[in-house]
């Protein structure tokens, strides 16, 4: 209840601003996703934001179900004992130094600093306010954030957190400041291959999406259960196909379906049950793993590339993988974006890649975790573009179009449009444009009403995309690993967090699970095991070493 009241008054304040501004114009706020220099020698890929005066640039990732933004300082103390301070600083995305900012104000907790009253998880820490610089033209003064004093979760989440839950402080702050016309965000992770042709900065957009980065038909649906899926982006996969270099394909799902949750910060392509799916993957690709990664792309499967074969198996998969949504939209992920050298941060804080070990960025779940809800992570967003509209309670997926061009399209909620006295401009279409988002299929209750002078009820009004003005710009975007633990030491992908007490030195690992088992009444059919590989059609990857460092 307190969250709803807090959000209502936040929106009511915005209504006064909007009603006093008859000529409302909104430009989406775009941020590059790139390698950010976070220490004297370290870099960490993420969303570059600057905090404080003078600005301190840090590397952030969006995290759910958090509503507040959380920023690490050097006293957080939640890196593993085996990690040096400089390595921890790199993995955190840099440290915020409060004493170096002349505009920082300290509070005993994030709520007193002006943050959301609930983060959906118990997080112990201080609060603060300071200037937050998003890009060269957009900044937020006295922005509230938390500084954790907890055992932050496992290496699935190591960086500063932009909370994008339903009461996201950053979305509400941008809307209240009239910077954006809706609580919408969208994301393309970019390309993260090993050489320049398969590398590209990504983009994160508040208040709209980048039309240049999408292509083909879109998939739009209402947000699903937040209890099962923290982001609400719950999709049904009707197929997962392996696309071999010789042009042939094999399916991993057979004739069944698989439910999955899109979690844009998760450091893998997908999690899937070992039995039957990943076992079939290895049988079809004739590969045999040698363990799991504890590096930056945490808990993917490792393969020995120092020789052509290992135990009569090929050293790694060389094909692509295609995901088909139940709407028919397909997302094809090229091999260069999910089969990579095992990457990590060295003890001196420098990034390195072990080219003798190849990592397939798929995380198989097994034993007690075998029925966990599969997750589609950030490597999925090397080939998919996703947009979430909190006001309309929907999300949209396209096949991504990797390009350095930017064509920002603002999205304005009906309530704000009404407050601004705006009208819908005539739209044009062409065969090269993506299919329009279908508003007529949105469920009732998708849009929250905003008070303009007086309170009126929450209604089902839908949402609209308005092509007011578009901006086109361009931006540029051999060490050994420690012994690999067995599966029994797998840290869960988890919140909540435990408080640090006394001189305790915490590990990353938590204790409670985030995933939820799928029950029989949750509408997704359990797929049958895929057929065994045919003995008359072996899949033999071609070529020698997979990677050449650029």
């Amino acid at each position: 209840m307190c969250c709803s009241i807090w959000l209502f008054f936040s929106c009511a304040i915005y209504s006064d601003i909007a009603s006093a501004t008859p000529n409302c114009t909104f430009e989406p706020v775009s941020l590059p996703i790139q390698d950010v220099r976070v220490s004297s020698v370290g870099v960490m890929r993420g969303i570059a934001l600057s905090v404080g005066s003078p600005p301190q640039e840090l590397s952030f990732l969006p995290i759910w179900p958090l509503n507040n933004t959380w920023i690490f300082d050097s006293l957080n103390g939640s890196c593993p004992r085996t990690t040096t301070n400089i390595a921890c600083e790199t993995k955190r995305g840099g440290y915020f130094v409060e004493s170096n900012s002349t505009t920082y104000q300290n509070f005993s907790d994030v709520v007193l600093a002006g943050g959301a009253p609930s983060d959906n998880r118990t997080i112990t820490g201080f609060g603060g306010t300071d200037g937050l610089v998003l890009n060269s033209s957009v900044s937020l003064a006295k922005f509230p954030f938390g500084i954790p004093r907890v055992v932050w979760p496992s290496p699935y989440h190591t960086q500063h957190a932009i909370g994008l839950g339903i009461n996201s402080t950053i979305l509400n702050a941008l809307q209240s400041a009239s910077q954006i016309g809706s609580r919408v965000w969208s994301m393309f992770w970019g390309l993260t291959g090993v050489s320049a042709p398969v590398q590209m900065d990504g983009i994160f957009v508040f208040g709209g999406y980048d039309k240049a980065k999408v292509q083909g038909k879109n998939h739009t649906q209402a947000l699903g259960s937040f209890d099962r899926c923290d982001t609400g982006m719950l999709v049904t996969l009707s197929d997962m196909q392996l696309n071999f270099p010789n042009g042939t394909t094999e399916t991993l799902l057979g004739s069944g379906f698989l439910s999955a949750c899109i979690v844009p910060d998760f450091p893998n392509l997908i999690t899937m049950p070992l039995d039957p799916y990943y076992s079939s993957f290895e049988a079809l690709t004739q590969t045999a793993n040698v363990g799991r990664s504890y590096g930056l792309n945490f808990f993917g499967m490792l393969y020995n590339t120092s020789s052509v074969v290992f135990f009569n198996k090929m050293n790694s998969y060389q094909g692509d993988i295609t995901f088909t949504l139940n709407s028919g939209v397909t997302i094809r992920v090229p091999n260069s974006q999910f089969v990579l050298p095992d990457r990590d941060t060295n003890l001196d804080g420098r990034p390195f890649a072990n080219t003798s070990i190849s990592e397939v960025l798929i995380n198989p779940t097994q034993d007690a975790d075998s029925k966990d809800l599969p997750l589609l992570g950030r490597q999925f967003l090397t080939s998919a573009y996703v947009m979430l509209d909190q006001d309309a309670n929907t999300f949209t997926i396209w096949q991504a179009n990797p390009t350095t061009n930017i064509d920002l399209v603002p999205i304005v909620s009906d309530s704000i449009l009404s407050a601004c006295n705006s009208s819908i401009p005539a739209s044009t279409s062409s065969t090269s444009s993506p299919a329009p988002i279908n508003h007529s299929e949105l469920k009732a209750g998708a849009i929250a009403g905003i008070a303009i002078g007086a309170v009126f009820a929450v209604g089902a009004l839908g949402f609209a995309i308005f092509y007011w003005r578009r901006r086109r710009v361009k931006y540029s975007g051999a060490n050994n690993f420690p012994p690999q633990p067995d599966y029994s030491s797998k840290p869960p992908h988890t919140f909540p967090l435990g408080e640090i007490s006394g001189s305790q030195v915490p590990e990353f690992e938590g204790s409670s699970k985030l995933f939820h088992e799928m029950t029989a009444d949750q509408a997704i059919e359990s797929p049958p095991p895929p057929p065994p590989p045919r003995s008359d059609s072996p899949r033999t990857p071609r070529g020698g070493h997979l990677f050449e460092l650029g």
Side-chain angles (χ1 to χ4, degrees):
M1 174 63 74
C2 65
C3 296
S4 300
I5 294 172
W6 176 82
L7 178 59
F8 169 79
F9 281 111
S10 174
C11 293
I13 291 170
Y14 176 75
S15 295
D16 294 337
I17 296 173
S19 61
T21 313
N23 297 318
C24 296
T25 58
F26 298 100
E27 186 79 9
V29 179
S30 67
L31 308 168
I33 298 175
Q34 60 190 13
D35 287 338
V36 182
R37 177 69 65 181
V38 296
S39 67
S40 58
V41 295
V43 297
M44 183 61 68
R45 187 176 181 87
I47 301 169
L49 299 176
S50 295
V51 183
S53 304
Q56 302 175 38
E57 189 172 53
L58 305 170
S59 179
F60 289 75
L61 284 180
I63 292 187
W64 294 262
L66 302 181
N67 292 314
N68 290 303
T69 291
W70 290 86
I71 299 177
F72 293 100
D73 65 5
S74 61
L75 299 179
N76 170 258
S78 58
C79 279
R81 288 187 294 265
T82 55
T83 299
T84 63
N85 186 64
I86 186 66
C88 185
E89 181 179 6
T90 297
K91 288 189 174 183
R92 288 291 180 233
Y95 286 147
F96 174 60
V97 183
E98 297 94 325
S99 60
N100 287 350
S101 173
T102 60
T103 50
Y104 172 75
Q105 288 186 287
N106 187 64
F107 294 83
S108 59
D109 62 52
V110 68
V111 177
L112 291 177
S118 171
D119 250 329
N120 303 309
R121 297 291 189 269
T122 301
I123 303 178
T124 303
F126 297 104
T129 62
D130 212 333
L132 182 68
V133 178
L134 284 80
N135 58 31
S136 59
S137 58
V138 177
S139 62
L140 296 169
K142 296 184 178 180
F143 180 74
F145 53 88
I147 300 174
R149 288 292 182 268
V150 295
V151 180
W152 200 251
S154 66
Y156 293 111
H157 304 282
T158 66
Q159 291 170 245
H160 307 286
I162 301 174
L164 285 178
I166 200 65
N167 269 354
S168 168
T169 55
I170 193 166
L171 282 173
N172 288 318
L174 287 169
Q175 190 182 67
S176 296
S178 301
Q179 293 288 351
I180 57 176
S182 59
R183 291 183 302 144
V184 168
W185 60 263
S186 61
M187 177 176 172
F188 167 60
W189 180 243
L191 304 182
T192 59
V194 298
S195 59
V198 288
Q199 294 174 348
M200 182 180 293
D201 286 352
I203 190 169
F204 195 95
V205 180
F206 290 108
Y209 74 105
D210 184 358
K211 184 180 177 183
K213 300 292 193 304
V214 306
Q215 59 181 317
K217 178 184 175 182
N218 71 63
H219 172 99
T220 299
Q221 69 178 67
L223 294 173
S225 168
F226 293 101
D227 290 334
R228 293 187 61 212
C229 172
D230 278 339
T231 64
M233 295 188 288
L234 189 63
V235 297
T236 300
L237 300 175
S238 59
D239 200 5
M240 281 191 297
Q241 272 192 356
L242 300 179
N243 311 110
F244 293 93
N246 63 5
T248 61
T249 61
E250 290 284 358
T251 182
L252 292 178
L253 294 190
S255 58
F257 296 84
L258 188 67
S259 183
C261 176
I262 300 175
V263 184
D265 69 292
F266 191 77
N268 295 121
L269 172 63
I270 187 173
T271 67
M272 64 173 68
L274 175 69
D275 183 18
Y277 303 119
Y278 200 76
S279 295
S280 294
F281 172 86
E282 290 199 325
L284 291 167
T285 59
Q286 299 184 23
T287 56
N289 72 81
V290 296
R292 291 177 181 264
S293 170
Y294 269 53
L296 297 179
N297 296 312
F298 186 73
F299 233 56
M301 302 303 288
L302 299 178
Y303 296 84
N304 192 335
T305 60
S306 58
S307 60
V308 176
V309 295
F310 180 75
F311 292 140
N312 295 319
K313 299 291 185 179
M314 300 309 298
N315 55 15
S316 192
Y317 177 50
Q318 294 190 356
D320 301 343
I321 188 168
T322 298
F323 299 90
T324 302
L325 305 180
N326 60 339
S327 63
V329 170
T330 60
I331 307 295
R332 180 161 175 160
V333 183
N335 184 274
S336 63
Q337 301 305 307
F338 74 98
V339 182
L340 300 167
D342 193 13
R343 294 168 167 170
D344 204 350
T345 299
N346 209 336
L347 294 180
D348 65 1
R350 299 175 188 271
F352 71 92
N354 187 343
T355 56
S356 66
I357 296 291
S358 174
E359 181 181 2
V360 173
L361 304 186
I362 297 177
N363 182 341
T365 55
Q366 64 188 89
D367 302 330
D369 305 314
S370 61
K371 293 186 179 180
D372 290 348
L373 180 66
L375 305 180
L376 287 163
R378 61 198 185 204
Q379 297 305 125
F380 179 69
L381 298 184
T382 63
S383 302
Y385 190 102
V386 67
M387 178 182 73
L388 187 147
D389 188 332
Q390 288 190 1
D391 296 328
N393 198 45
T394 62
F395 69 98
T396 301
I397 307 169
W398 294 266
Q399 172 78 38
N401 176 38
T403 175
T404 56
N405 293 331
I406 296 178
D407 185 2
L408 297 178
V409 176
I411 294 180
V412 182
S413 67
D414 281 357
S415 51
I416 291 181
L417 180 68
S418 176
C420 289
N421 254 342
S422 302
S423 60
I424 302 175
S427 61
T428 60
S429 63
S430 66
T431 56
S432 61
S433 298
I437 297 174
N438 189 341
H439 306 284
S440 65
E441 296 179 357
L442 302 180
K443 293 184 177 181
I447 298 180
I450 291 182
I452 304 176
V455 179
F456 60 90
V458 174
L461 301 178
F463 75 101
I465 294 178
F466 305 103
Y467 298 83
W468 286 358
R469 60 180 184 178
R470 301 171 183 174
R471 179 180 66 185
R472 294 183 179 272
V473 298
K474 294 187 177 181
Y475 66 88
S476 61
N479 296 26
N480 294 324
F481 287 87
Q484 301 300 320
D486 59 21
Y487 188 85
S488 63
S489 64
K490 168 185 177 286
H493 171 252
T494 178
F495 291 95
L497 313 172
E499 182 175 359
I500 298 174
S501 60
S503 59
Q504 174 187 1
V505 182
E507 297 287 350
F508 274 112
E509 288 78 4
S511 59
S512 62
K513 293 192 63 59
L514 172 68
F515 301 145
H516 304 277
E517 182 174 350
M518 194 181 305
T519 58
D521 61 350
Q522 288 175 313
I524 302 300
E525 179 182 351
S526 177
R534 299 196 305 269
S535 59
D536 61 344
S537 59
R539 300 294 180 250
T540 304
R542 300 173 183 172
H545 292 291
L546 292 180
F547 304 104
E548 178 181 348
L549 293 180

